[in-house]
Amino acid sequence: MAGGNLAGTILLSHVLGSTGQGEFYLAIAIYSLLWFTVNLGLYSITIAKVAAAVSAKSREAAVDSMAYLARASFFLAILTATLAWTVVPFIARAWLGDQVTDADLVIRAAGILALSPLLELPRIVMLAGLEGTRTMRSVARIENGQEACRVLLVAAGALLTGDAMGPVLGMLTASGIGSLLALDAWRRQSRKNSFLPRLGEVVRRALHIPLRGGLTLGLQVGVVRNINALGVQILPPLILGRFSSPEWVAYLRIAQKVVDVTRLMMKGISRTALPVLSELAGVKDLSGLRRVYWRASWMSGGTLFTGLLLATPFVRPVLAAMFPREFVDPVWTCYLILLPGMFFVCFAVANDTFYLVTNQMRMAILVSAVGMIVNTSVLTYLCWRLPEYGAAWGLSFTFLWAGMHMLYAGLWFRRHAPHPPTDGMGPTPATN
């Protein structure tokens, strides 16, 4: 999937050039800003609840969790599309100003992308159920299939229109295909595993399940994840688009996609950790919880960053071979600037999961909110002072904040460490 993402980026650079590709990324950033503003963290909550239902052998609880995700996501998708065509155009046009030549095209493309949550709704619900039951092979097939379709359709759209609108239409079509793939995989798995509900059962329950009650925790998780996404994926291109040009938006996003090969590997590790940690939290196994968290963080983080370092000498030759000449030097420099911050990101594979399963979402919101204020201020200042490479420096600084979450996790485990037995005369000394 990571390779396909990068392949699509290479194709767009040749078809659209840096200006058209930058406008495409700006459209994605505008839509994403809207979606992450209204979207709740219900997906991760559903995975955790389905995993807990599997552990408790409660099929009804799993159906309720998936039905709630479907109902809430539907209303959020309608809200997103409505705002994208009524409010967002005025704000986006005022923000982009004269830096973007075809701002109207970018805004229309963002509005079309806002239809994606409706088309992706079946896929999201089915993936949550499959991940919660650890049917990861089907999850991988769905996502890899959709990514392959997305790369082909985005490239075909770019060739047909020659501007940002073509790739956007390709992405929208791929969203619908992803849901079809998910529905097919779900039907097959539900025949093999009686615990998985039929699609009609989920839909019928979604029509009647109340929205109240499940939003609080979802909102907390959503705030944390959305803050992180805003700081890393959305705000940098938007702020850069304000102070620089679409060309530099393209260079920065390509550099991010190169390092995102590692981040996508982290997503797989985090997915594996979430059901395991959820089950350990359900049986109050603090020692096991701590052990799995640090193992996922240190061992996986070390492996990921080592791989990133080993790949670095080959990045520039690959860029020179794959991208137009105008892309090579800016993208390579942005990549080198991002590399130090990636050290901390590589070790942050289980931070979100830790907050979720230990019921520490309020602290997660506090740490993330403080980081958002600090990091966005630094990012904006650097983009203003350094219109070309300021966003890369600001993004690398933002990556450092992942270490703050690990610091809090370490303090929490230390504070909640099991106390040694006592004989009434104080703690028993530890023995070697």
Side-chain angles (χ1 to χ4, degrees):
M1 187 168 66
N5 200 331
L6 191 57
T9 301
I10 296 170
L11 288 173
L12 286 182
S13 69
H14 288 279
V15 177
L16 299 182
S18 57
T19 301
Q21 193 169 11
E23 291 174 346
F24 172 56
Y25 290 144
L26 280 173
I28 294 176
I30 293 172
Y31 152 68
S32 300
L33 177 61
L34 173 61
W35 176 237
F36 281 100
T37 299
V38 304
N39 186 27
L40 304 175
L42 299 175
Y43 181 75
S44 297
I45 295 296
T46 303
I47 295 173
K49 287 187 175 182
V50 171
V54 171
S55 180
K57 298 181 179 179
S58 175
R59 186 176 181 274
E60 183 178 355
V63 175
D64 285 347
S65 298
M66 295 178 61
Y68 186 89
L69 175 64
R71 185 177 178 86
S73 297
F74 174 77
F75 285 107
L76 291 172
I78 294 296
L79 176 61
T80 299
T82 302
L83 292 175
W85 289 96
T86 56
V87 177
V88 170
F90 300 99
I91 300 174
R93 192 171 288 107
W95 174 258
L96 294 176
D98 298 330
Q99 298 294 333
V100 179
T101 303
D102 200 347
D104 289 338
L105 173 66
V106 172
I107 293 169
R108 288 197 305 272
I112 291 175
L113 282 174
L115 301 175
S116 298
L118 281 171
L119 293 176
E120 292 182 348
L121 178 58
R123 181 180 67 88
I124 294 300
V125 176
M126 300 299 103
L127 283 180
L130 292 172
E131 286 190 46
T133 55
R134 299 195 198 179
T135 316
M136 302 309 294
R137 181 174 296 180
S138 293
V139 172
R141 287 175 178 172
I142 294 167
E143 295 198 335
N144 289 336
Q146 181 182 2
E147 182 62 21
C149 292
R150 189 193 66 81
V151 171
L152 293 175
L153 292 171
V154 165
L159 287 170
L160 286 174
T161 65
D163 57 27
M165 189 60 71
V168 164
L169 293 174
M171 286 187 65
L172 193 68
T173 306
S175 295
I177 293 176
S179 288
L180 294 177
L181 294 174
L183 290 170
D184 179 66
W186 183 265
R187 281 195 295 267
R188 294 184 182 185
Q189 290 300 321
S190 62
R191 296 192 190 104
K192 300 177 182 178
N193 185 355
S194 60
F195 189 89
L196 294 175
R198 296 300 177 99
L199 177 60
E201 187 178 354
V202 175
V203 173
R204 287 191 297 271
R205 182 64 180 133
L207 294 175
H208 303 288
I209 195 167
L211 288 176
R212 299 186 307 275
L215 292 178
T216 303
L217 183 56
L219 179 60
Q220 292 175 343
V221 176
V223 168
V224 174
R225 295 206 168 185
N226 294 353
I227 285 176
N228 293 336
L230 284 170
V232 174
Q233 300 292 338
I234 301 170
L235 290 181
L238 287 177
I239 295 174
L240 189 58
R242 170 70 175 180
F243 293 105
S244 185
S245 65
E247 290 84 353
W248 282 96
V249 172
Y251 301 148
L252 176 67
R253 289 297 293 131
I254 293 171
Q256 283 186 267
K257 287 180 179 293
V258 174
V259 298
D260 272 352
V261 173
T262 299
R263 291 173 61 84
L264 289 172
M265 292 171 61
M266 290 167 52
K267 184 178 180 181
I269 296 171
S270 180
R271 279 179 168 177
T272 303
L274 176 55
V276 175
L277 291 176
S278 297
E279 291 184 9
L280 292 173
V283 298
K284 308 300 181 184
D285 185 359
L286 181 59
S287 298
L289 193 68
R290 179 173 58 244
R291 183 174 61 254
V292 172
Y293 171 81
W294 289 119
R295 182 179 298 170
S297 298
W298 295 120
M299 294 181 62
S300 302
T303 301
L304 292 173
F305 191 71
T306 300
L308 189 61
L309 288 179
L310 292 175
T312 295
F314 303 97
V315 170
R316 184 180 175 85
V318 170
L319 292 175
M322 298 295 182
F323 286 93
R325 183 178 300 177
E326 63 178 295
F327 285 77
V328 177
D329 287 337
V331 173
W332 170 243
T333 304
C334 287
Y335 172 85
L336 292 178
I337 294 172
L338 294 176
L339 198 58
M342 281 299 298
F343 174 81
F344 291 89
V345 176
C346 285
F347 288 90
V349 294
N351 286 346
D352 290 348
T353 305
F354 159 77
Y355 284 121
L356 180 59
V357 301
T358 58
N359 197 27
Q360 295 294 304
M361 294 310 304
R362 290 185 179 180
M363 181 56 66
I365 292 173
L366 177 60
V367 175
S368 298
V370 172
M372 181 73 172
I373 295 171
V374 173
N375 297 332
T376 303
S377 300
V378 172
L379 176 67
T380 304
Y381 174 78
L382 290 173
C383 285
W384 172 56
R385 297 293 297 175
L386 304 170
E388 295 178 346
Y389 294 108
W393 284 111
L395 190 55
S396 189
F397 180 85
T398 299
F399 287 157
L400 301 179
W401 201 259
M404 297 299 294
H405 294 286
M406 294 189 68
L407 176 62
Y408 176 77
L411 294 174
W412 188 90
F413 280 125
R414 182 176 181 180
R415 187 166 63 250
H416 291 81
H419 296 289
T422 63
D423 58 3
M425 300 295 293
T428 303
T431 57
N432 293 325

